[in-house]
Amino acid sequence: MSAPASAAPLAPVVERTTPASRAGAVAGVVLLAALIALPWVGTSGTMRMVVELIALLVLAQMWNLLAGYAGLVSIGQQAYVGLGGYALIVLADDLGVNPFLAVPLAGVVAVAVALPTAVLVFRFRGGYFAVGTWAVAEVYRLLVANTDALGRGTGRTLKAVFPLARETRELGTYAIALGIGLAALAAMYVYLRSRQGLGLMAIRDSEPASESLGIDVFRTKLTVYLIAAFGTGVTGALIYLNLLRISPDAAFSISWTAYTIFIVVIGGLGTLEGPIVGTLLFFFLREILSEYGAWYMILLGVLAIVAMLRFPQGLWGLVAERWGLDMFPVRRRVRAPR
């Protein structure tokens, strides 16, 4: 009688979720339900604050995508905030486009400008790239500030929303902000989990190694740059749909990029959770310290320096390392069969 055949070895299990991500999904649904209900239970001031918070969160996620995942440290992202804001004014006031529809179209305008801009700034490397992006943003500010049709240095007011009732405008702005925030987070999560996202992280770790694996480094970085320009342009339009008044110095201010860098550095560079933590901390500090003027900015700078020196992985990095949390797992994990 022959011996029984041995059992075939079990295949390893590939996991793409974690207990923290599943718990986070439930918490996210609860938070989204609360945000949807806010117009009926909250005040217009609370809605405006949520719009500001979402705008900063999306700006931070876009900068994090550039610097944290693609290694493109730009200090000129304010260019797309300003272009998005002015695109909203031109589309809505001059071309008669519905102001709410003009918000996503402003992102298309930002991409149209970003494409030739990328051809120029991608010629630079490292620190020169950062300086080049800032210089290009200044050029765009000066061009807008010297254009009569755009109001030159005094800027313009968004008049297309005046026929709308205040409640309609605020509710529409709030709904668009929720849509932008949710779409930006979901799009980044899906992109980073895709084959292109894995290629992007390979480029971040080692460009020569990723090139040897057949990854097109230039095309991948260009795609990320255009995605960030679209997201930043849409957010710029959202900001000025909320403020109703735009000027070149405010719209192209480097403060936009400085705030996003602070948020990402404090929260955690190269993670989707880091900008969320950083945005909440930034808002908390702004609410309790804004009355101190220049000291408020000095404190933000000191905190950013301390963070870079003592915990370069950011607050979320400390938490994730301590408790092994991963709310947005973008990598595949191979687990041995039980």
Side-chain angles (χ1 to χ4, degrees), residues 42 49 52 67 119 136 165 202 229 272 274 294 310 315 325:
M49 188 178 69
E52 292 177 22
V119 174
V136 168
L272 287 175
R310 299 299 300 272
L315 292 175
L325 297 179

Side-chain angles (χ1 to χ4, degrees), residues 155-207:
R156 288 179 55 175
T157 299
L158 179 62
K159 300 176 181 175
V161 296
F162 286 172
L164 301 175
R166 178 182 173 185
E167 292 77 11
T168 302
R169 177 178 60 79
E170 290 179 344
L171 183 60
T173 303
Y174 180 77
I176 290 175
L178 278 188
I180 291 173
L182 186 62
L185 202 57
M188 283 193 60
Y189 186 46
V190 170
Y191 177 76
L192 291 174
R193 286 166 62 94
S194 68
R195 181 184 296 272
Q196 291 76 17
L198 293 176
L200 178 64
M201 286 182 276
I203 293 172
R204 177 189 61 183
D205 296 337
S206 173
E207 282 194 20

Side-chain angles (χ1 to χ4, degrees), residues 20 60 118 159 210 216 265 316 321:
K159 300 176 181 175
S210 57
D216 190 328
V265 168
W316 177 254
E321 184 179 23

Side-chain angles (χ1 to χ4, degrees), residues 234-252:
V234 168
T235 308
L238 171 67
I239 290 170
Y240 287 98
L241 179 64
N242 197 38
L243 295 177
L244 303 182
R245 175 77 186 164
I246 191 170
S247 69
D249 289 343
F252 292 89

Side-chain angles (χ1 to χ4, degrees), residues 31-124:
L31 176 62
L32 180 61
L35 290 174
I36 291 174
L38 182 62
W40 288 273
V41 298
T43 64
S44 58
T46 306
M47 290 169 60
R48 281 196 298 273
M49 188 178 69
V50 173
V51 171
E52 292 177 22
L53 190 147
I54 291 175
L56 275 178
L57 173 61
V58 177
L59 290 181
Q61 290 287 7
M62 293 300 112
W63 192 85
N64 184 43
L65 180 64
L66 279 177
Y69 288 100
L72 296 170
V73 182
S74 168
I75 57 172
Q77 287 308 100
Q78 66 274 14
Y80 301 109
V81 175
L83 290 170
Y86 272 96
L88 167 72
I89 300 288
V90 172
L91 289 168
D93 281 356
D94 299 344
L95 301 180
V97 178
N98 182 289
F100 299 133
L101 178 60
V103 173
L105 292 179
V108 178
V109 173
V111 170
V113 178
L115 189 57
T117 302
V119 174
L120 173 63
V121 297
F122 274 28
R123 293 175 177 270
F124 305 122

